[in-house]
Amino acid sequence: MPLMHPQFNPIALDLTRFGVPVQIHWYGITYLVAFALFLYLGARRVKKPWFANAGWTRRDVEDLLFFGVVGVVLGGRIGYTLFYKPMYYLQHPLEVFAVWKGGMSFHGGLLGVIAAMFVFALLRRRSFWDVTDLIAPCVPTGLASGRVGNFINGELWGREADPSLPWAMIFPQSGSLTPRHPSQVYQFLLEGMLLFGLLWWFGSKPRRRAEVSAAFLVGYGLFRFIAEYFREPDSFLGLLALNMSMGQWLCLPMIIGGALLFAWSRNQPLPAAAHA
C-alpha cells in the first residue's frame, strides 16, 4: 500500500491571525538551518591547523556565507533561465526578476557560488582553491536542508514507482494518485548526508590544494546523476538525448571537471602544517 504525502502546511508560523502581517514558511526555515550549519561547520574547519596557520578565522566564514548567498541566488536564477527556459525568458525578459514565481537551478547556483568565491579570493588575496577547499565539506548539509524543504512542500517529486515498493508515495500535488519515488528523500540522503559524511571525513586531514574541491565535484555529480533516475524530469523538458534528464547532462561536466581537477591536484604540495 503506497504511502500518502503528509500534505504539510507550507506555513510554519502564521502571525496574521494576531494582526501581524508575517508568515514564516518551512522553506525559509530550512534556509536558515542551512546557513546556521554552514557557520557552525565552517567555524570548526578554520580551527584545523592547516587553516588556522594560514590565518583563517570565523569572521572569514561569516563573510564567505554572505558572498555565497549572493552567488547562489543570482547564479541559481540566471542558471534556471539559461538552462531550462531560455526561449521563454527571451520573450519575457522582465520575468527573470520574478523570483517569487519559483525557478532556481542548482548547477547555476554552483556557478554563482564559484564566481562569488573567486571574487572573495581576489579581495582577500588568497588562492581560489584554498577558499573552495575550506567550504566544500560545509555545503552538503545546506543541500540536505533544501531537500527537506522540497519534501515539506511536496515538490520535485519522483518518477512512477512500483506500488509494492514499501516507501512508494503518492503526491497529490503531481495531479495524480500514481505512486512515486520520494526523490527528495533520496537526494537528502545521497547529495546531503552521505556526501557530507564522505567530504567531512576526507577533509579532516591535510589534503593537497584542490583535492577536497575535486572530491565535492565528483561526489555531488555522481550522487545527483543517480538520484535523477528517480526524479521526475521537468514537464517542459522531459528526457533529453540518451534518455537523460537536464540535471544528468549538467552533472557530467561536474564529474569530468572534478576528475581532471583531482589529477591536477596530485602535483600540489600538502599544507605546511601537515609536515609539522
Side-chain angles (χ1 to χ4, degrees):
M1 184 70 178
L3 303 174
M4 179 68 69
H5 182 265
Q7 299 291 283
F8 296 101
N9 185 341
I11 300 175
L13 182 61
D14 187 357
L15 299 180
T16 57
R17 66 183 68 180
F18 303 109
V20 181
V22 174
Q23 290 182 328
I24 301 176
H25 291 247
W26 284 112
Y27 204 65
I29 292 176
T30 63
Y31 267 77
L32 291 178
V33 170
F35 298 156
L37 287 172
F38 180 89
L39 289 174
Y40 171 72
L41 296 173
R44 292 189 60 183
R45 288 280 289 165
V46 295
K47 291 180 180 179
K48 299 289 185 182
W50 50 96
F51 288 122
N53 291 347
W56 288 98
T57 66
R58 181 183 175 88
R59 178 62 181 273
D60 292 317
V61 176
E62 295 170 355
D63 292 342
L64 281 167
L65 176 61
F66 172 76
F67 276 78
V69 169
V70 173
V72 76
V73 171
L74 293 179
R77 184 59 177 172
I78 294 172
Y80 181 81
T81 62
L82 294 179
F83 299 152
Y84 291 90
K85 291 185 175 182
M87 297 308 299
Y88 175 84
Y89 287 104
L90 187 63
Q91 298 171 4
H92 308 85
L94 293 180
E95 290 203 24
V96 171
F97 305 100
V99 294
W100 56 88
K101 293 185 178 181
M104 296 286 283
S105 161
F106 167 81
H107 297 89
L110 177 63
L111 292 176
V113 169
I114 290 174
M117 296 304 101
F118 183 77
V119 172
F120 179 91
L122 284 178
L123 294 176
R124 299 298 173 88
R125 297 182 180 179
R126 289 188 177 274
S127 164
F128 169 76
W129 298 118
D130 289 347
V131 175
T132 55
D133 284 344
L134 170 65
I135 68 170
C138 308
V139 172
T141 51
L143 302 178
S145 296
R147 295 311 175 194
V148 171
N150 294 146
F151 182 78
I152 290 175
N153 287 346
E155 59 192 10
L156 304 183
W157 49 78
R159 304 186 194 188
E160 294 185 12
D162 187 331
S164 64
L165 186 70
W167 54 84
M169 183 168 289
I170 295 174
F171 291 88
Q173 298 92 329
S174 68
S176 73
L177 298 180
T178 302
R180 297 179 178 275
H181 289 280
S183 56
Q184 315 96 323
V185 178
Y186 298 172
Q187 291 187 264
F188 167 82
L189 295 173
L190 288 174
E191 307 156 18
M193 304 314 298
L194 180 56
L195 182 59
F196 165 70
L198 292 174
L199 286 179
W200 193 258
W201 165 78
F202 187 71
S204 65
K205 296 181 180 180
R207 300 294 177 181
R208 290 177 171 82
R209 177 170 287 172
E211 273 192 320
V212 179
S213 301
F216 173 84
L217 290 174
V218 173
Y220 179 86
L222 284 174
F223 290 148
R224 175 67 182 268
F225 190 92
I226 294 170
E228 283 284 330
Y229 278 116
F230 302 97
R231 176 172 163 175
E232 182 73 13
D234 294 284
S235 58
F236 53 87
L237 284 178
L239 294 175
L240 306 178
L242 302 180
N243 280 331
M244 295 199 314
S245 67
M246 175 61 81
Q248 288 176 310
W249 279 108
L250 293 174
C251 282
L252 291 181
M254 290 185 67
I255 298 172
I256 296 171
L260 293 174
L261 183 59
F262 213 104
W264 175 81
S265 70
R266 302 309 297 169
N267 297 320
Q268 299 299 304
L270 286 168
H275 304 297

